[in-house]
Amino acid sequence: QRAWADLEGRVRGYTSSCDTLYVVTGAVLATETDATMEYAKDNDGNNVAVPKAYYKVLLKYNIASNRYSSIGFWFEHRGYGNTVTISETQTVREIEERTGFNFFANLPDAVENEVETEYNPAAWGF
């Protein structure tokens, strides 16, 4: 996907604007509203589960400001344009609710709650 490739390039670029960047990427095989699994055949004829969606969550830290910030991205398994857009951005908390994962559990609770619920796409170039 061209939009996903654009996102990967942006992630590489974000590394120059922070001291630490945590990146979590994954696929969602079933959702609460669609638990059916779809399969495709690999080159050996084996069944391979087809994801319903893909996600990426980012957490960056800046030493100078002693501040964390985060953003999430959600892509349904469908065609997209050439670039990732603001419509694919979400809070990390929204991605957590959709996946059932707790991504940054090692942060102090107050910090975790603040960064996982913030939504500032402009700070990430959107």
Side-chain angles (χ1 to χ4, degrees):
Q1 294 253 358
R2 293 176 307 263
W4 190 263
D6 177 56
L7 177 57
E8 292 288 337
R10 287 173 182 259
V11 169
R12 285 188 294 279
Y14 296 145
T15 61
S16 65
S17 66
C18 62
D19 297 292
T20 303
L21 181 65
Y22 298 95
V23 180
V24 181
T25 304
V28 177
L29 300 177
T31 65
E32 285 185 12
T33 58
D34 187 0
T36 60
M37 297 285 288
E38 295 182 32
Y39 297 90
K41 297 284 185 186
D42 67 10
N43 290 340
D44 295 325
N46 299 312
N47 282 336
V48 177
V50 175
K52 301 212 183 298
Y54 303 89
Y55 63 87
K56 187 177 291 290
V57 294
L58 308 176
L59 176 71
K60 67 180 175 180
Y61 177 71
N62 287 308
I63 291 173
S65 65
N66 191 31
R67 179 159 169 19
Y68 289 94
S69 58
S70 69
I71 192 166
F73 298 89
W74 184 267
F75 288 83
E76 299 292 331
H77 189 124
R78 63 176 178 79
Y80 288 86
N82 291 332
T83 60
V84 62
T85 67
I86 195 169
S87 64
E88 286 86 48
T89 63
Q90 297 185 353
T91 68
V92 170
R93 185 64 46 86
E94 288 171 307
I95 305 289
E96 286 181 334
E97 290 169 357
R98 293 178 107 166
T99 62
F101 297 126
N102 184 2
F103 293 111
F104 305 120
N106 289 337
L107 290 172
D109 288 342
V111 174
E112 179 185 11
N113 189 54
E114 180 181 340
V115 299
E116 289 182 353
T117 58
E118 79 177 0
Y119 184 69
N120 186 3
W124 298 84
F126 292 95

